[in-house]
């Protein structure tokens, strides 16, 4: 067995999983299972959301280690599921490494929803939550429009790799500013419901769930990193909306 | 109707959110359904329990649902959990906390802020309880077999 090849394959699988937003324990467990399936003597992995360290000892007792850095990454459940399924097959059937790489490449090519679909979805998210939190039909329709625009702004900012704190501030400022201006023009009945509905597009729900799952699994470092991210996002939302509302009071005289 | 409609709204909103985290296939139905069930439990608990307890109980149900569906569909529970909890993420809490801060109403600001953290804590606790119990059951079963 080629230990170097095994290490590389395990690293690729781990990287793919982590990049799709899988929990830390899933990444680490997967690697340990792959090591075990291919009969590695001694192997370890350490993962946090932005870094992977894998090591492996070959038959002669020589140590191999690899480190891989990750940038910011979102969540892609379809890929997490597919990689998870792949790992099961790998551990059961122990296919040659080239086949694993082919499978990884295939999963990597799985489709995303198109930007247009995602922008529309952003509008519907705002629409649904405005209703859910007690807004009227008119409120929900306003939220739909503002949600689409906010999602569009998010897309543009992400396209040019603006940092995520800044992105959140700008997007939540836009959410509140649009809702306020609309309200001032007579669109909508409950300003707060509209704003909250649109803001649901920005709240760190995904990150918060990941924090819990990482912390419960005992991956405290990873959990704390993500918790910081969740708190920063929440602060960004409060700042952006706060500025918009303060300005709205001064300029438009709308008290939301 | 007062209970049913909000669940439909939760389903619609969470269905749309599935497009943002790239959930596909059958899960497009089952994941938002978890959110509806969670919200129904939240509303039902509201009749007899205090707000934070509602969040806790609803999260327990959502996590149990997520773990159950994960075993039936043989996919990670994360997707179900993520979407199921989403309506309870305190977006409103963040907004009102900030609003009271701007109003200069320190008492309400602190109260809402702490309540918002409380909600987040309840969500975490709910997930923790279910996951830990299942993990314990799993370990015990394995030890018996060994």
């Amino acid at each position: 067995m080629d230990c170097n090849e095994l290490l590389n394959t395990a690293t690729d699988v781990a990287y793919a999983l982590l990049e799709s937003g899988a929990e830390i324990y899933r990444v680490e467990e997967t690697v340990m299972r792959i090591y075990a399936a291919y009969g590695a003597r001694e192997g370890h992995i350490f993962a946090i959301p932005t870094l992977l360290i894998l090591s492996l000892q070959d038959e002669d007792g020589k140590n191999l280690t690899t480190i891989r850095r990750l940038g910011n990454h979102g969540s892609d459940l379809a890929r997490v599921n597919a990689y998870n399924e792949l790992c099961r097959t790998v551990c059961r059937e122990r296919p040659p490494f080239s086949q694993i790489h082919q499978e990884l490449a295939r999963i990597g090519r799985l489709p995303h929803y198109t930007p247009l679909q995602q922008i529309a979805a952003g509008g519907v998210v705002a629409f649904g939550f405005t209703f859910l939190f007690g807004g009227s039909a008119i409120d929900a329709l306003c939220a739909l429009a503002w949600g689409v625009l906010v999602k569009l702004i998010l897309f543009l900012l992400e396209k040019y790799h603006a940092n995520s704190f800044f992105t959140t501030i700008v997007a939540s400022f836009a959410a509140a500013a649009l809702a306020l201006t609309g309200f001032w023009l007579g669109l909508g009945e409950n300003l707060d419901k509209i704003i909250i509905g649109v803001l649901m597009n920005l709240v760190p729900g995904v990150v918060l769930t990941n924090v819990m799952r990482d912390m419960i699994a005992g991956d405290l470092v990873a959990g704390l990193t993500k918790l910081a991210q969740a708190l920063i996002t929440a602060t960004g939302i409060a700042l952006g909306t706060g500025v918009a509302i303060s300005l709205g009071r001064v300029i438009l005289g709308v008290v939301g | 109707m007062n209970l049913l409609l909000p669940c439909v709204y939760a389903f619609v909103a969470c269905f749309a959110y599935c497009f943002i985290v790239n959930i596909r296939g059958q899960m497009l139905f089952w994941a938002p359904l978890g959110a509806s069930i969670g919200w129904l439990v939240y509303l039902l608990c509201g009749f007899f329990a205090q707000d934070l307890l509602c969040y806790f109980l609803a999260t327990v149900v959502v996590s149990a649902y997520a773990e159950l569906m994960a075993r039936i569909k043989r996919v990670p529970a994360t997707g179900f959990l993520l979407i199921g909890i989403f309506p309870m993420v305190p977006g409103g809490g963040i907004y009102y906390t900030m609003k009271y801060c701007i109003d200069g109403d320190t008492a309400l600001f602190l109260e809402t802020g702490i309540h918002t953290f409380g909600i987040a804590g309840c969500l975490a606790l709910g997930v923790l309880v279910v996951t830990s119990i299942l993990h314990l059951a799993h370990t015990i079963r394995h030890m018996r077999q060994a």
Side-chain angles (χ1 to χ4, degrees):
Chain A
M1 182 194 54
D2 187 348
C3 272
N4 197 40
E5 194 63 15
L6 173 58
L7 183 65
N8 278 336
T9 309
T11 311
D12 286 341
V13 173
Y15 187 89
L17 265 172
L18 199 56
E19 203 186 22
S20 321
E23 308 93 318
I24 299 299
Y25 76 86
R26 191 181 302 285
V27 176
E28 296 189 341
E29 225 175 82
T30 302
V31 168
M32 292 314 279
R33 286 209 177 134
I34 293 178
Y35 280 167
Y38 287 88
R41 263 196 355 174
E42 174 101 24
H44 292 281
I45 170 166
F46 175 78
I48 52 172
T50 51
L51 178 71
L52 278 170
I53 305 174
L54 282 89
S55 79
L56 191 60
Q57 203 174 60
D58 67 9
E59 286 93 344
D60 312 324
K62 214 173 85 185
N63 288 305
L64 300 166
T65 303
T66 176
I67 289 179
R68 213 173 279 184
R69 281 281 280 148
L70 269 89
N72 264 343
H73 47 90
S75 269
D76 188 326
L77 270 303
R79 280 186 177 68
V80 173
N81 291 355
Y83 289 130
N84 201 53
E85 195 54 46
L86 169 66
C87 295
R88 268 194 206 155
T89 324
V90 166
C91 292
R92 206 172 43 229
E93 296 167 7
R94 270 180 282 166
F97 294 129
S98 60
Q99 197 184 324
I100 302 180
H101 278 114
Q102 273 173 18
E103 275 296 297
L104 280 177
R106 182 189 65 80
I107 297 170
R109 282 193 303 270
L110 284 180
H112 291 279
Y113 288 110
T114 61
L116 207 62
Q117 280 173 319
Q118 290 191 41
I119 289 169
V124 179
V125 168
F127 176 81
F129 278 118
T130 302
F131 257 132
L132 184 67
F133 295 140
S136 65
I138 297 168
D139 294 337
L141 284 175
C142 294
L144 179 78
W146 311 144
V148 167
L149 285 175
V150 166
K151 202 70 199 164
L152 197 65
I153 292 170
L154 271 178
F155 251 99
L156 287 177
L157 287 171
E158 271 162 23
K159 193 174 155 194
Y160 298 112
H161 305 287
N163 84 56
S164 63
F165 189 46
F166 179 72
T167 306
T168 312
I169 295 180
V170 172
S172 50
F173 174 82
L178 285 167
L180 268 164
T181 316
F183 189 73
W184 183 64
L185 293 170
L187 297 169
E189 291 160 349
N190 306 296
L191 184 57
D192 50 346
K193 309 289 190 241
I194 301 175
I195 296 181
I196 297 168
V198 181
L199 284 184
M200 286 305 277
N201 272 309
L202 305 168
V203 294
V206 177
V207 182
L208 209 60
T209 314
N210 282 330
V211 170
M212 296 175 216
R213 286 183 75 81
D214 281 340
M215 288 273 196
I216 291 167
D219 298 312
L220 297 182
V221 179
L224 283 178
T225 316
K226 289 181 186 169
L227 183 63
Q229 198 188 337
L231 286 177
I232 284 175
T233 309
T235 314
I237 292 174
L239 283 176
T241 327
V243 171
I245 288 186
S246 306
L247 284 178
R249 280 182 195 180
V250 177
I251 299 171
L252 304 177
V254 178
V255 176
Chain B
M1 265 336 239
N2 284 339
L3 289 176
L4 199 66
L5 269 181
C7 296
V8 174
Y9 300 148
F11 186 92
V12 170
C14 290
F15 175 79
Y17 201 76
C18 288
F19 284 70
I20 289 160
V21 287
N22 201 18
I23 286 177
R24 285 174 179 272
Q26 276 190 11
M27 273 183 77
L28 271 179
F29 174 74
W30 296 109
L33 186 68
S36 296
I37 295 173
W39 196 257
L40 183 65
V41 173
Y42 171 76
L43 291 176
L44 286 175
C45 290
F47 289 121
F48 62 86
Q50 179 237 354
D51 192 44
L52 286 182
L53 188 62
C54 297
Y55 281 107
F56 171 73
L57 292 174
T59 317
V60 167
V61 172
V62 169
S63 327
Y65 173 83
E67 298 286 345
L68 180 76
M69 289 311 288
R71 277 159 184 72
I72 294 176
K73 299 282 169 200
R74 299 189 69 73
V75 292
T78 324
F80 298 108
L81 191 64
L82 201 121
I83 296 296
I85 285 185
F86 197 65
M88 291 183 275
V89 174
I94 299 176
Y95 172 76
Y96 288 117
T97 307
M98 180 278 314
K99 181 172 168 293
Y100 293 134
C101 178
I102 293 175
D103 288 344
D105 194 333
T106 316
L108 263 178
F109 160 62
L110 285 176
E111 193 188 315
T112 320
I114 291 168
H115 188 245
T116 305
F117 270 103
I119 294 173
C122 284
L123 299 187
L125 196 63
V127 179
L128 175 79
V129 167
V130 174
T131 316
S132 304
I133 289 177
L134 280 176
H135 190 78
L136 206 62
H138 185 77
T139 316
I140 291 173
R141 208 178 329 137
H142 265 255
M143 285 172 92
R144 287 250 172 94
Q145 276 171 2

